[in-house]
Amino acid sequence: MAATFRNVVVWDASRSAAELCDVSIENGMVKAVSQAEGEVKNGDFDGKGKTALIPGFVNAHGHAAMSLLRGLGEELPLMDWLEKRIWPVEARLDGDLVRAGTDLAILEMLASGTTCFADMYFFMDRVAEASLDAGIRCGLSRGIIYDGSDGKLNENLTLAKDFNGEKGLVNIQLGPHAPYTVPFDYMKKVAGSAAENGLGVQLHWLETESEWQLLDLPRDLTPEKYLEESGLLEVSNLLLAHCVWTDPERAEFYARSNVTVAHNPKSNLKLGSGVAPVPEMLAMKVRLAIGTDGAASNNRLDMWDEMRFAALLQKGVRRDPTLMAAKDVLAMATYGGAQGLGFKNCGHIREGCNADMILIDLDRPHYMGWDFESLPWYIVYAGSSEDILMTVVAGKTLYERGEFKTLDEEAVKARALEARKRLTAA
Ligand SMILES: [Zn+2]
């Protein structure tokens, strides 16, 4: 499919300011980006200088089908929440339920401008199918909680064999859940397997204050040594979700070309986990991304919320309004996440990049006064998902002005409600 967007205000993380451009796409890629000529041909989209075109958001950490678990076990500490409310319900999940929950999550993500999402969960073949049917990009892993067998690792490897690279939309990672659910020796095995198969890894990393102390590890095995000695640093892409309890003085350690930190400010706040040292990591040029985490600990899958929290949280806690510039936050929410999930050619609006983009209506009251320099501030501090006009993945329009092009919204909601009933029935 070919399309041309004229008179659109283009911003991406590689530009110092937004620009008024014409953007043409062909075969799922950006074919050309040039200065707007003002002329509009039949069939072109005319942004009239009042529509922003930016890269789609990449939700870099989450568990999509947890959309079915929203509201369960509110206001409990992380371990109680997991052990008493979440894991017992998750034990009842099956492929159909995961599919229903994933479809529901995809509705929410597309409507709020997310074009790519990370997922670590179960029945991931059904998640891959849901994503491919919807046409959304994704980085998927089978969550591995060690149970004494290789079953889950093998499932993850089968997922890679069946879906890695599918339609250019799916990247598969291995998903060892966390150091507290995967013994160190097994983590080494998973890391070795990822390196051998050319796969990335996503895992939860230092989310809560006490988790590291609970591990039965030699005293001198610091988190940084753990990463080195496990082999995790050898994999092509390592996505570390949370990093709340990283020593800020060790931030430089994480500034490696294959490591991305996925910051989940709302989930960290809601579960009382703490505030990640993101300003230090940003200063050290650590590759950073933003995620929502699952809907049961957020409870929205809305990257606009996440960006605003990421920016405001640090300013308030550190009492320093100069921290977390909006353009950096926007870069984290777009380019950073795409890199973390191994999509090298995503996250910018440039010739030859994948055409993953969103159109934002700047003709709304809260945008009056924007200019090319200040656009990121308007988007991060004043914007919201209600401003999304269109969500495009690989050149295909998946959502436009309240309408889903590849999903039947009412049917998805009905199936999700039915699934929720089955899941939570005593
Ligand atoms: Zn998580």
Side-chain angles (χ1 to χ4, degrees):
M1 182 196 118
T4 305
F5 299 85
R6 303 225 181 244
N7 308 310
V8 285
V9 181
V10 172
W11 180 93
D12 70 19
S14 71
R15 292 163 196 271
S16 54
E19 273 176 272
L20 191 64
C21 296
D22 290 339
V23 177
S24 60
I25 59 176
E26 200 175 274
N27 299 325
M29 314 295 273
V30 176
K31 189 178 168 208
V33 182
S34 55
Q35 240 180 12
E37 287 171 4
E39 162 198 21
V40 180
K41 294 194 189 109
N42 223 355
D44 291 350
F45 176 95
D46 184 7
K48 298 181 177 159
K50 297 186 222 172
T51 308
L53 187 156
I54 73 168
F57 299 125
V58 179
N59 186 345
H61 177 68
H63 316 281
M66 283 184 97
S67 60
L68 298 180
L69 277 59
R70 199 183 318 247
L72 287 188
E74 295 290 10
E75 291 155 8
L76 291 176
L78 178 66
M79 289 306 161
D80 280 355
W81 178 71
L82 284 174
E83 287 168 9
K84 293 183 183 153
R85 295 310 312 272
I86 298 299
W87 287 343
V89 175
E90 284 184 337
R92 292 184 211 149
L93 283 169
D94 62 26
D96 289 343
L97 294 170
V98 166
R99 170 75 197 235
T102 304
D103 283 339
L104 183 67
I106 292 174
L107 283 184
E108 192 180 348
M109 291 193 281
L110 288 177
S112 53
T114 291
T115 53
C116 177
F117 70 103
D119 201 3
M120 176 200 284
Y121 218 52
F122 338 108
F123 303 101
M124 293 304 292
D125 52 333
R126 303 299 297 276
V127 177
E129 285 163 9
S131 308
L132 287 163
D133 287 349
I136 191 170
R137 195 178 300 282
C138 55
L140 310 180
S141 67
R142 200 291 181 212
I144 299 169
I145 291 179
Y146 186 62
D147 60 4
S149 81
D150 283 333
K152 290 170 183 159
L153 174 58
N154 288 339
E155 252 184 62
N156 206 155
L157 291 168
T158 303
L159 182 75
K161 192 161 81 47
D162 293 346
F163 291 101
N164 199 25
E166 187 72 14
K167 291 190 180 166
L169 289 176
V170 183
N171 277 355
I172 303 295
Q173 290 88 36
L174 296 187
H177 173 264
Y180 61 85
T181 45
V182 179
F184 186 54
D185 281 340
Y186 203 71
M187 190 66 85
K188 284 185 184 168
K189 181 168 178 168
V190 175
S193 178
E196 195 182 312
N197 291 284
L199 300 171
V201 168
Q202 36 174 293
L203 77 157
H204 295 91
W205 187 247
L206 304 174
E207 180 175 1
T208 54
E209 187 173 13
S210 58
E211 68 191 51
W212 198 259
Q213 279 73 48
L214 300 176
L215 301 180
D216 187 19
L217 293 170
R219 279 185 71 84
D220 64 345
L221 195 67
T222 61
E224 291 78 24
K225 268 198 190 157
Y226 180 109
L227 288 177
E228 269 166 355
E229 292 182 18
S230 62
L232 282 169
L233 294 176
E234 314 299 320
V235 306
S236 56
N237 267 294
L238 178 64
L239 187 64
L240 299 172
H242 300 301
C243 290
V244 175
W245 290 93
T246 325
D247 179 353
E249 300 202 344
R250 305 301 309 272
E252 194 179 0
F253 175 88
Y254 294 88
R256 294 161 188 263
S257 59
N258 63 335
V259 174
T260 298
V261 170
H263 177 41
N264 302 268
K266 276 184 71 190
S267 175
N268 296 157
L269 285 173
K270 187 156 184 283
L271 293 172
S273 306
V275 177
V278 183
E280 284 81 1
M281 292 194 261
L282 201 53
M284 289 297 162
K285 302 208 176 329
V286 175
R287 293 197 340 183
L288 289 160
I290 295 182
T292 58
D293 210 344
S297 66
N298 188 302
N299 292 356
R300 291 163 62 80
L301 304 178
D302 184 335
M303 291 289 287
W304 297 76
D305 255 20
E306 226 56 44
M307 290 195 296
R308 191 135 60 230
F309 269 80
L312 299 183
L313 176 60
Q314 304 288 346
K315 295 177 202 296
V317 169
R318 310 285 186 102
R319 284 173 273 176
D320 182 353
T322 68
L323 296 175
M324 303 294 288
K327 67 174 175 40
D328 292 333
V329 173
L330 206 44
M332 288 165 66
T334 54
Y335 182 73
Q339 301 307 294
L341 290 171
F343 291 106
K344 304 272 174 234
N345 208 21
C346 286
H348 282 142
I349 306 297
R350 271 204 313 246
E351 188 187 328
C353 284
N354 281 298
D356 291 10
M357 49 181 67
I358 52 179
L359 283 108
I360 301 170
D361 184 4
L362 301 179
D363 194 25
R364 304 194 76 198
H366 49 274
Y367 286 109
M368 294 304 116
W370 72 272
D371 59 34
F372 294 119
E373 301 282 337
S374 64
L375 186 66
W377 295 323
Y378 275 79
I379 291 175
V380 172
Y381 299 128
S384 86
S385 47
E386 286 170 19
D387 309 333
I388 293 285
L389 291 174
M390 203 187 287
T391 303
V392 177
V393 179
K396 199 168 161 191
T397 302
L398 304 185
Y399 173 85
E400 188 174 359
R401 298 173 199 268
E403 239 180 76
F404 297 90
K405 306 289 186 183
T406 50
L407 288 156
D408 177 343
E409 180 180 2
E410 293 311 316
V412 168
K413 288 193 293 194
R415 277 199 300 272
L417 213 48
E418 206 44 51
R420 161 90 177 197
K421 275 191 208 142
R422 262 182 66 200
L423 204 50
T424 53

